[in-house]
Amino acid sequence: DQQVKQNSPSLSVQEGRISILNCDYTNSMFDYFLWYKKYPAEGPTFLISISSIKDKNEDGRFTVFLNKSAKHLSLHIVPSQPGDSAVYFCAASGRNYQLIWGAGTKLIIKP
Amino acid sequence: SQTIHQWPATLVQPVGSPLSLECTVEGTSNPNLYWYRQAAGRGLQLLFYSVGIGQISSEVPQNLSASRPQDRQFILSSKKLLLSDSGFYLCAWSSGGQGEAFFGQGTRLTVV
């Protein structure tokens, strides 16, 4: 039973355009959501987060949107840059502060 | 500032051999510590977490075990490795609260 789902295994976007990565969750008790970026053979690095009491959080080129009624969140990257090519993981904060992870979406930025 | 060290970066071990992966955290006290495995198509799979010395919770029953002999040290072990133990293992820490975790560089384990 996957509580956090990233239904797109990969996404290809032209450099300079907007990248939108999506994530759905099933547990309405999650109260904090995070996005991580991961390069091959490295540990994930924290990117941006959002509390369930908000619907938007922005940090530079990265914006996360949360739609609680739809149990959906998305990460927008504007403008997309070649260095953004990586695997992006969505995570939700559960009991004991554990993180419940999606399967990841591989973002490819085309020059 | 806080740092997390995980070693070795790569490891090739024969089937049936023991395993010990070590992770240490600096610059913080009483962190929550985690061992994850990155599985293809399943994202990051939580294996063990610890909220204090000697306190280990297992999320997935398997051939592995974890120990926390010191506050900022977390060890992943196996007495006899299986081929299916091959994978990319990640140690992480968090200070609790909102659950943001910080990861080590990972260990690529290949069991042959």
Side-chain angles (χ1 to χ4, degrees), chain A residues 33-98:
Chain A
F33 303 89
L34 309 94
W35 284 95
Y36 283 76
K37 177 180 180 180
K38 186 183 181 301
Y39 294 117
E42 293 184 9
T45 54
F46 171 73
L47 202 55
I48 192 169
S49 62
I50 189 167
S51 166
S52 61
I53 63 174
K54 296 185 176 181
D55 55 18
K56 178 183 175 181
N57 187 26
E58 191 172 357
D59 183 3
R61 296 186 298 115
F62 303 93
T63 303
V64 57
F65 295 92
L66 175 62
N67 183 334
K68 286 184 64 179
S69 61
K71 293 190 179 68
H72 176 84
L73 66 155
S74 59
L75 174 67
H76 293 213
I77 306 173
V78 184
S80 300
Q81 299 175 353
D84 295 330
S85 295
V87 176
Y88 289 79
F89 289 98
C90 167
S93 181
R95 61 182 173 86
N96 287 333
Y97 310 118
Q98 294 174 52

Side-chain angles (χ1 to χ4, degrees), chain A residues 11 13-14 17-21 75-78 80 107 109:
Chain A
L11 175 66
V13 175
Q14 200 74 34
R17 300 284 182 91
I18 180 171
S19 295
I20 301 176
L21 297 109
L75 174 67
H76 293 213
I77 306 173
V78 184
S80 300
L107 177 63
I109 305 301

Side-chain angles (χ1 to χ4, degrees), chain B residues 59-77:
Chain B
E59 289 296 302
V60 183
Q62 54 197 313
N63 185 42
L64 302 169
S65 62
S67 61
R68 184 170 178 173
Q70 299 180 43
D71 180 45
R72 290 169 289 177
Q73 183 185 29
F74 206 23
I75 298 172
L76 182 69
S77 304

Side-chain angles (χ1 to χ4, degrees), chain A residues 2 31-32 34 36 38 40-46 49 51 87 89 93 95-104, chain B residues 32 34 36 38 41-46 49 51 59 88 90 94 96-106 108:
Chain A
Q2 284 187 296
D31 59 3
Y32 201 68
L34 309 94
Y36 283 76
K38 186 183 181 301
E42 293 184 9
T45 54
F46 171 73
S49 62
S51 166
V87 176
F89 289 98
S93 181
R95 61 182 173 86
N96 287 333
Y97 310 118
Q98 294 174 52
L99 294 177
I100 312 299
W101 296 85
Chain B
N32 292 342
Y34 308 86
Y36 285 90
Q38 185 180 6
R42 294 183 61 188
L44 294 168
Q45 182 184 32
L46 179 63
Y49 72 92
V51 298
E59 289 296 302
F88 191 62
L90 290 154
S94 75
Q98 291 300 305
E100 177 183 329
F102 301 90
F103 286 82
Q105 286 293 92
R108 171 68 62 187

